[in-house]
Amino acid sequence: MLLPPGPVFMQVKPVSNANRPTILLATTNAGKAREFNELLREAPARFPGLKDLNITQDVEETGATFAENALLKAVTYAKLSGVWTLAEDSGIEVDALNGAPGVYSRRFASPNATDEENVTLLLQKMKGVSWGNRSARFRSAISIASPEGQHWTVEGILDGIVTTARHGAGGFGYDPIFWLPDRGKTTAELSMAEKNQVSHRGKAAAQAVKLLQRLVLEGVLH
Ligand code: ITT
C-alpha cells in the first residue's frame, strides 16, 4: 500500500529503549545498583540486573586487586548469561592498616558480614589512631566484557578520612565513617547526586559511559 506523502520527520523512528544494546549490570549489592542506575543514565544501553536475567550464581572473588576481581566478575557473568556484562569491584583502603581491608572490604568482619559489622570492626581497629593518620580511599574498578571474551577496565578513586563515629544515613557500606575534608561531611551525609559527582564509582562510571559510546559508534557493541 502506498503511504500518502508526509513530513520527513514522520519517517524517523525514535530510538526506543528496547532497541538499545543490552548490558547485564552484574551486582548483588543494592547500594551499588542504585548508584549505577543513576550513573549509567547517559549510556547508550539498557542495564537489566542479575534477577531480571534469572541469574542466581555468585562469583568467587579470588583476585588480588579490584581490577582483577571486576574483570573476573564481568567475564564470568558474560559467559554465563551470553550477554555483554558490566561488573564492578570496590572497597576502602586505610593507610594506618597498610591498605586493609582493600579487596576484602565486604568480607572484613566475616565471610557474610553486614555493612554494620564491617563498620564496627573498622572503627575498632582505628581506635586510638590520631586524626592525622586516618587517611583512606575508596577505589572502584569497572569491567565491561562481551560474551566472546573482549574486555575493558576503568578505575576511579575518592580520598577521605576515617571518622571516629558514624555520621549520616545515606549511601551504604563504609559511607557513615568516610569523611570528605572539602565537604565537611561523610559520604553518608551527601545526597546520591552529590556522592555520584565526586565518588570513586562516579569517576569510573563516567569513563565507562564514554567507552560504551565509543564501542557503539565503532559498531563493536550493538
Ligand atoms: P558485587 O560483587 O555483587 O557487586 P559486593 O558488595 O560483594 O557486590 P564488592 O565485592 O565490590 O561488592 O565489595 C564492595 C564493598 O566495599 C561494599 O560491600 C562496601 O562495604 C565497600 N564499598 C564500596 N563502595 C562503597 C561506597 O561507595 N560507599 C561505601 N562503601 C563502599
Side-chain angles (χ1 to χ4, degrees):
M1 190 178 82
L2 271 178
L3 288 172
V8 173
F9 66 81
M10 285 184 69
Q11 294 164 19
V12 177
K13 270 194 196 160
V15 181
S16 79
N17 212 26
N19 292 334
R20 291 171 166 236
T22 297
I23 301 180
L24 166 63
L25 179 57
T27 181
T28 58
N29 183 314
K32 266 191 202 183
R34 268 196 304 275
E35 292 181 9
F36 271 127
N37 283 331
E38 280 304 311
L39 290 167
L40 296 172
R41 264 155 69 123
E42 302 297 316
R46 56 193 195 93
F47 295 90
L50 290 165
K51 279 188 190 146
D52 299 313
L53 300 194
N54 293 320
I55 295 171
T56 51
Q57 192 171 320
D58 211 10
V59 175
E60 209 189 329
E61 296 175 17
T62 53
T65 63
F66 296 109
E68 278 175 25
N69 279 336
L71 188 58
L72 186 66
K73 289 189 261 190
V75 167
T76 309
Y77 280 119
K79 272 198 197 130
L80 210 74
S81 65
V83 298
W84 280 67
T85 298
L86 182 152
E88 190 230 36
D89 201 55
S90 52
I92 186 171
E93 290 175 349
V94 180
D95 293 326
L97 305 177
N98 297 317
V103 291
Y104 300 103
S105 293
R106 196 196 58 73
R107 306 164 267 170
F108 191 34
S110 70
N112 290 313
T114 61
D115 286 350
E116 186 71 18
E117 290 164 345
N118 287 329
V119 166
T120 299
L121 179 61
L122 186 52
L123 286 175
Q124 229 171 55
K125 290 207 181 264
M126 293 295 282
K127 227 175 193 160
V129 177
S130 67
W131 190 246
N133 289 314
R134 302 182 73 95
S135 54
R137 69 203 52 77
F138 277 138
R139 278 187 193 272
S140 162
I142 295 176
S143 291
I144 294 167
S146 73
E148 292 78 30
Q150 300 154 285
H151 56 79
W152 298 262
T153 300
V154 291
E155 298 187 66
I157 295 178
L158 175 63
D159 288 305
I161 306 282
V162 178
T163 55
T164 52
R166 293 171 171 84
H167 299 278
F172 67 98
Y174 297 89
D175 282 329
I177 58 167
F178 192 83
W179 191 73
L180 303 179
D182 56 343
R183 300 267 169 155
K185 288 178 180 177
T186 66
T187 39
E189 293 175 298
L190 301 179
S191 68
M192 194 204 288
E194 287 172 326
K195 182 183 169 191
N196 281 348
Q197 259 170 25
V198 298
S199 76
H200 50 313
R201 185 165 298 105
K203 289 170 193 158
Q207 295 175 68
V209 169
K210 281 197 191 126
L211 170 68
L212 291 173
Q213 285 166 344
R214 181 165 63 79
L215 293 176
V216 167
L217 273 177
E218 289 171 354
V220 179
L221 171 64
H222 46 81

